[in-house]
Amino acid sequence: MDENHAFQYLESLIGQTLRLHATDTRIFVGTFKCTDSARNIILASTYEYRFPSPSAVRDAPTDAENQDAGIAAESPNVKVNMTSRFIGLVVVPGHHITKIELEETPQQSRVREVLKKS
């Protein structure tokens, strides 16, 4: 992709919802506002997601047994939810970003495919 196409694609992402994965395993989901030459990214209306702590994972089977007596024994799999919090406007340093994903609705995906073809 040449520089002009890369710039146009980046510009088309402004206002879209991005999912940024950080080196410390946190995930930020928010509206893409801007970036700079150091690859820092500013997101608005952002939620931060964290994987459960090791102690929460360790205690999950016991908690499941207490809530659903007998059911946990039938299934060896226990789900533990990620924690989340609203953080609003955030700057994610470029050197901490490991992956960037575009979150789009099925309708947005179809429109993007049509635009690619033209």
Side-chain angles (χ1 to χ4, degrees), residues 53-105:
S53 67
S55 62
V57 172
R58 184 185 61 242
D59 297 341
T62 305
D63 295 342
E65 283 179 14
N66 292 339
Q67 290 177 1
D68 303 324
I71 297 174
E74 297 172 12
S75 173
N77 297 327
V78 176
K79 291 184 180 180
V80 182
N81 293 327
M82 295 179 81
T83 59
S84 68
R85 67 181 179 144
F86 180 75
I87 55 175
L89 190 65
V90 65
V91 176
V92 183
H95 64 279
H96 286 295
I97 299 172
T98 60
K99 184 178 183 181
I100 302 173
E101 298 173 297
L102 176 63
E103 262 196 12
E104 55 186 5
T105 65

Side-chain angles (χ1 to χ4, degrees), residues 17-90:
T17 301
L18 296 184
R19 187 179 317 125
L20 303 180
H21 296 254
T23 54
D24 62 359
T25 72
R26 288 183 293 173
I27 299 171
F28 299 94
V29 178
T31 305
F32 177 51
K33 291 299 182 183
C34 65
T35 187
D36 61 14
S37 60
R39 296 176 296 168
N40 301 315
I41 292 181
I42 295 180
L43 297 176
S45 304
T46 306
Y47 284 86
E48 173 195 63
Y49 296 90
R50 292 177 180 256
F51 286 98
S53 67
S55 62
V57 172
R58 184 185 61 242
D59 297 341
T62 305
D63 295 342
E65 283 179 14
N66 292 339
Q67 290 177 1
D68 303 324
I71 297 174
E74 297 172 12
S75 173
N77 297 327
V78 176
K79 291 184 180 180
V80 182
N81 293 327
M82 295 179 81
T83 59
S84 68
R85 67 181 179 144
F86 180 75
I87 55 175
L89 190 65
V90 65

Side-chain angles (χ1 to χ4, degrees), residues 1-12:
M1 179 181 293
D2 68 21
E3 188 174 323
N4 189 38
H5 281 103
F7 179 79
Q8 287 176 346
Y9 179 71
L10 187 60
E11 196 172 54
S12 76

